[in-house]
Amino acid sequence: MKSEKRTAGRPVTPVLSRELIGEQALELVTARGLEQLTMTNLAKRLKVAASALYNHVANKADVVLLIQDALVSQVSLAGMQRLIDHQATLEEALYDWAVSYRAVFAEYPSLIPTIAVTPVSEAPKTLRMYNTVAQALTGAGIPDEQVIDVIVAFESFLFGSALDVDAPSTIFDTDDVTEDSAWLDRVVKASKATAGDPPANGSSEGTADGVRNRYADPPFQFGLAALIQRTKSLVEA
Amino acid sequence: MKSEKRTAGRPVTPVLSRELIGEQALELVTARGLEQLTMTNLAKRLKVAASALYNHVANKADVVLLIQDALVSQVSLAGMQRLIDHQATLEEALYDWAVSYRAVFAEYPSLIPTIAVTPVSEAPKTLRMYNTVAQALTGAGIPDEQVIDVIVAFESFLFGSALDVDAPSTIFDTDDVTEDSAWLDRVVKASKATAGDPPANGSSEGTADGVRNRYADPPFQFGLAALIQRTKSLVEA
DNA sequence: ACCTGAACACCGTTCAAGT
DNA sequence: ACCTGAACACCGTTCAAGT
């Protein structure tokens, strides 16, 4: 243990940077959850005093911003790139992007409300993602003035779907069947009967995407198909 | 000011109840926002000590549960009721429900992540809403085993859309046009040109639903139309 | 400029004491 | 059973003092 404690006063070479803070914040929130993301815990991980963080970030919201920008860069743009290069269809590109987007953000549901309202100008990697998607959709023949609507509609659905992944499988279960729940119970039962009890494939835990709520996938596929179909109908002849 | 301070010890008749706490919590969060919903502020509003709340609620999350159940009862089920009575089409019922649902929750975006994962068994009014929707969709000819998928897909979209209402109108604006933002800027401009600068109708502030983000409506209408169209195609002959 | 450490004004929650 | 008031272990953030 050579944990040499740092003395007060400016260090010869800076210990912290926004990049380092963002990186460690993401690791912290991944390992221990958002509720453990405190300035104190983050500082401890970086082996500095909590107050030192404020030389690099404005406040905790600023830290959250660093996390989400790091997350966005994990979203796959491969399908959109192929669409730009005419190597994929509009449908394939939208599907690839949507599945990847949801999977990434489903890991951090509590970040979603902030992400949803953060201006892209404050998050450079997020800006780049939207730019690529805009380019691909334009190239595929979606009229300029509708591209944003398509992006926002998809995003709304993806954010909501990411939240749903975190819901318990029993979210629609009722304690006892009363008059107020008879219809709901009926359709929930029918749904579970079709889905089958163990996950459809042989994997031991969760689904292919690491989805926790076993029943989250069919509604996601249904909604996604609806949006893709409608988007295709916008393409100019 | 006859603000007679209460003495310690059990009062002859209880001062608090879960109903009263829920009611005041909703008023507090409506008037001053979720970040002002603290046990201390809530207690102040109810003129009790903060610790007194814990005789009626388990913790703060329990208070949030009371709020969301009160909110759900504001969602219009009129369209669904008419569908049950064969006085409305499936399309009309879904549209009415979706618009109302989004409007209600757009007022409280920060509650959405919790709402999205709360089991219905803990929120009786929420349970009743789902039951009515399930009854209406079943009656309209959606196969039992697909009803839940439809509900969850709609809900995902509605939660996400509610979040979007709270986003600033400038969310896609970039500070300066660089290589990384050229395509995005182009489609954003095209979108704004079509939307027109003042709100389409003559109202002085926001849209018909009290929506804050002026650009939130077209993507909402687009996504909703997509989901409704696809849902109609599920109806058995 | 960039760190430490003390301090401030809050949180949610627990619990003994009172009736 | 149901209230008060003191206490506890935390928060995020500020700021003087140090180099």
Side-chain angles (χ1 to χ4, degrees), chain B residues 86-105:
Chain B
H86 304 96
Q87 304 293 318
T89 63
L90 175 58
E91 174 157 8
E92 290 163 346
L94 285 170
Y95 187 85
D96 172 73
W97 176 63
V99 168
S100 160
Y101 199 120
R102 165 173 172 261
V104 168
F105 285 101

Side-chain angles (χ1 to χ4, degrees), chain A residues 96-232:
Chain A
D96 172 73
W97 176 64
V99 168
S100 158
Y101 199 120
R102 166 174 173 262
V104 168
F105 285 102
E107 295 294 319
Y108 308 90
S110 28
L111 292 179
I112 292 178
T114 5
I115 295 172
V117 300
T118 303
V120 296
S121 60
E122 296 182 27
K125 289 171 190 164
T126 307
L127 176 62
R128 282 192 48 202
M129 180 190 73
Y130 283 119
N131 194 54
T132 304
V133 174
Q135 180 184 1
L137 295 186
T138 307
I142 311 275
D144 279 15
E145 65 274 17
Q146 310 222 58
V147 170
I148 286 290
D149 291 352
V150 171
I151 291 177
V152 172
F154 266 82
E155 228 187 3
S156 295
F157 178 66
L158 295 173
F159 284 145
S161 298
L163 289 176
D164 187 47
V165 168
D166 213 52
S169 295
T170 57
I171 189 165
F172 287 115
D173 290 0
T174 48
D175 294 336
D176 40 12
V177 183
T178 69
E179 209 182 336
D180 279 353
S181 69
W183 291 93
L184 184 60
D185 283 317
R186 174 175 148 178
V187 298
V188 167
K189 271 212 192 78
S191 197
K192 292 196 176 173
T194 335
D197 270 86
N201 46 22
S203 84
S204 62
E205 200 179 0
T207 65
D209 305 320
V211 159
R212 289 171 291 290
N213 174 3
R214 194 163 68 235
Y215 301 108
D217 270 332
F220 174 63
Q221 297 292 338
F222 171 78
L224 187 52
L227 288 169
I228 290 176
Q229 183 186 6
R230 193 89 180 183
T231 302
K232 277 160 72 179

Side-chain angles (χ1 to χ4, degrees), chain A residues 9-10 37-40 51 54 59-60:
Chain A
R10 179 187 186 193
L37 176 66
T38 66
M39 298 305 265
T40 312
S51 53
Y54 290 87
N59 45 40
K60 190 178 174 178

Side-chain angles (χ1 to χ4, degrees), chain B residues 127-142:
Chain B
L127 176 62
R128 282 192 49 201
M129 181 190 73
Y130 284 120
N131 195 53
T132 304
V133 174
Q135 180 184 0
L137 296 186
T138 306
I142 311 274

Side-chain angles (χ1 to χ4, degrees), chain B residues 9-10 38-39 51 54 60:
Chain B
R10 180 187 183 191
T38 66
M39 298 305 264
S51 52
Y54 290 86
K60 189 177 175 179

